[in-house]
Amino acid sequence: MSTRQETGTAGTHHVVILGAGYAGMAAAVQLAARTRRRDDVQVTLVNAQERFTERMRLHMTATGQQLAELSIPELLEGTGARFVRGWVTAVDPDAKSVRIDDDRLLTYDTLVYGLGGVADTSATPGADEHTYTLSGAQDAELLADRLARLDSGTVVVAGSGLTGVESAAEIAEQHPELNVVLLGRQEPGETLNRKARTYVRDALSRLGVEVRAGVDVVKVLPDAVELADGQCIAADAVLWTSGPRTSPPAATAGMTVDEHGRIVTDAALRSVSHPDVYAIGDAAAIRQGYGVMHGTCQGGMPTGVHAALSIDRVLRGREPRPFRFGYYHTPVSLGRHDAVVQFTRPDDSPRRFCLTGRTAVRYKETVTASPWPTYGRMKKMPASGAYWPRGGRFTRLGGTR
């Protein structure tokens, strides 16, 4: 098979951004907007699909709800950034190249790695063959099709984190003819304060979701899941939401990664082993004063913007600044008509204040819809995207100011 090699124009600094999720799109729009008057910088965004995946609404896609389709090329319109559609199959940070669909080769001067996490179905026997995931829109649509063909039966949601909670609630609300069982090691909403945690449990109960906490799924069968204590739960469909891992190219590229396959970064979000590579969103292991950031949309877009700011500063001969981010909320959908919003300290520990019910629904919807106006503002005023909670003393590392 022949390979087409695409190189940047001579004398042009070619920035390739892998992944057009919330973080990758933020990086592309921010950097392209800041450099569009320069002839010596080209920004290229690579993604497997032209349709933008709203990860915060995948639980809705999984229940067959129709969402507006957002086009990545249209979101980039007016920025000067180039879009390339294709699957990233390999990254060679030493040769500074990216292989796409096995037959195309892109070379770069600076790489931004934003290929986010996927559900880790590899560690549990049978999970890869017999479960559905929310790793992308197509995966969610496969589950929607399965649920639509069930007149009755049991759906098991494996993983009681917030993705599992939102998915179980959505399925129970949209498919009241099905029994929904939520399984996990922890109580649903364990990271929330007592009031919010109780509200989550009561909401799941009202929707008829059976919650079984403190359990481990050790094997998935074609029609059941097996627990560590030997019990089997019959299942007509299993949604796997536990144990995210980073997309494989990062781990196989020879870059320094953590135990989850995330690229370990310095304070400016550069790979500690390959400083021409920036890692953002779920693909990055970013250390703050409170520890390593966990994957979340509220942190994803700031990492994308900061990587763009860092690259722009380096291109202008200046040193990049350290990235600092503090959490501020945890919004959780409980179907279309209920929600809870937990406000947090910068280290993600819960504050006493939370929103519930219709007020929380409106808040959650505002948050979910916020990326589009943010991208639009950044096209016109790049500096407008550079504001997020820095976290004060919670995020400070070893005297960093």
Side-chain angles (χ1 to χ4, degrees):
M1 180 185 295
S2 62
T3 298
R4 266 191 303 145
Q5 183 166 333
E6 301 177 27
T7 59
T9 306
T12 299
H13 190 98
H14 198 189
V15 181
V16 174
I17 300 170
L18 304 182
Y22 295 108
M25 183 62 67
V29 171
Q30 179 69 212
L31 184 59
R34 286 180 176 271
T35 60
R36 64 183 152 205
R37 290 184 175 85
R38 297 180 55 163
D39 297 327
D40 59 345
V41 180
Q42 173 65 58
V43 177
T44 300
L45 179 61
V46 181
N47 199 65
Q49 305 292 337
E50 285 193 10
R51 183 176 70 170
F52 184 90
T53 298
E54 292 189 85
R55 294 189 70 87
M56 288 189 283
R57 297 190 198 269
L58 283 177
H59 54 286
M60 297 171 63
T61 303
T63 53
Q65 298 175 65
Q66 295 300 309
L67 305 178
E69 291 205 5
L70 301 163
S71 163
I72 293 170
E74 287 180 10
L75 290 171
L76 290 176
E77 196 171 301
T79 65
R82 183 170 69 116
F83 175 68
V84 172
R85 178 177 176 176
W87 290 95
V88 176
T89 55
V91 176
D92 187 339
D94 297 319
K96 292 190 175 183
S97 65
V98 178
R99 188 171 292 277
I100 301 171
D101 292 335
D102 289 327
D103 64 349
R104 299 175 68 184
L105 200 65
L106 283 180
T107 59
Y108 64 83
D109 297 293
T110 300
L111 182 71
V112 180
Y113 192 101
L115 298 175
V118 296
D120 188 1
T121 56
S122 62
T124 303
D128 202 34
E129 299 90 341
H130 305 305
T131 68
Y132 297 87
T133 71
L134 298 184
S135 296
Q138 290 179 322
D139 301 294
E141 287 164 356
L142 289 173
L143 176 57
D145 180 67
R146 173 60 176 161
L147 297 179
R149 289 185 285 110
L150 290 175
D151 296 323
S152 61
T154 298
V155 178
V156 169
V157 179
S160 54
L162 298 183
T163 300
V165 168
E166 290 193 325
S167 300
E170 204 76 36
I171 294 170
E173 182 180 85
Q174 297 295 320
H175 293 277
E177 73 280 5
L178 302 177
N179 300 316
V180 180
V181 181
L182 178 61
L183 305 177
R185 297 175 183 174
Q186 63 187 31
E187 290 285 335
E190 188 175 80
T191 59
L192 311 180
N193 69 23
R194 184 170 62 180
K195 177 183 176 181
R197 192 165 56 246
T198 300
Y199 192 89
V200 167
R201 285 299 300 261
D202 290 346
L204 291 172
S205 178
R206 287 194 298 272
L207 290 167
V209 176
E210 178 187 347
V211 175
R212 298 186 63 175
V215 301
D216 270 317
V217 177
V218 296
K219 189 174 184 180
V220 182
L221 305 170
D223 56 359
V225 295
E226 183 179 320
L227 306 183
D229 61 6
Q231 294 185 67
C232 273
I233 299 177
D236 297 279
V238 179
L239 172 59
W240 196 264
T241 69
S242 59
R245 61 181 171 83
T246 300
S247 296
T252 58
M255 290 181 279
T256 299
V257 298
D258 69 358
E259 65 274 16
H260 302 294
R262 299 175 297 183
I263 297 171
V264 180
T265 74
D266 67 8
L269 305 186
R270 295 172 295 200
S271 162
V272 295
S273 59
H274 295 79
D276 292 318
V277 177
Y278 291 75
I280 58 176
D282 295 347
I286 304 167
R287 181 163 292 282
Q288 300 285 276
Y290 50 75
V292 176
M293 288 177 60
H294 63 79
T296 169
C297 292
Q298 64 178 308
M301 289 180 66
T303 65
V305 171
H306 190 84
L309 295 175
S310 296
I311 294 167
D312 183 50
R313 287 180 68 87
V314 170
L315 290 173
R316 290 187 285 117
R318 303 172 67 181
E319 280 296 310
R321 293 171 177 160
F323 175 74
R324 292 173 63 181
F325 172 79
Y327 298 98
Y328 48 98
H329 65 194
T330 302
V332 186
S333 293
L334 299 168
R336 293 300 84 216
H337 309 291
D338 204 357
V340 61
V341 177
Q342 172 69 71
F343 292 96
T344 68
R345 299 180 182 86
D347 64 353
D348 207 29
S349 60
R351 296 185 185 274
R352 295 177 61 184
F353 183 59
C354 64
L355 300 176
T356 58
R358 296 297 299 176
T359 303
V361 170
R362 289 191 292 270
Y363 185 104
K364 165 74 172 175
E365 179 55 30
T366 300
V367 169
T368 303
S370 65
W372 327 127
T374 301
Y375 296 145
R377 285 194 302 271
M378 284 198 296
K379 288 182 185 180
K380 299 175 182 177
M381 298 180 295
S384 68
Y387 295 96
W388 58 82
R390 263 55 178 189
R393 62 184 175 82
F394 287 87
T395 59
R396 196 169 293 136
L397 270 176
T400 298
R401 300 290 174 182

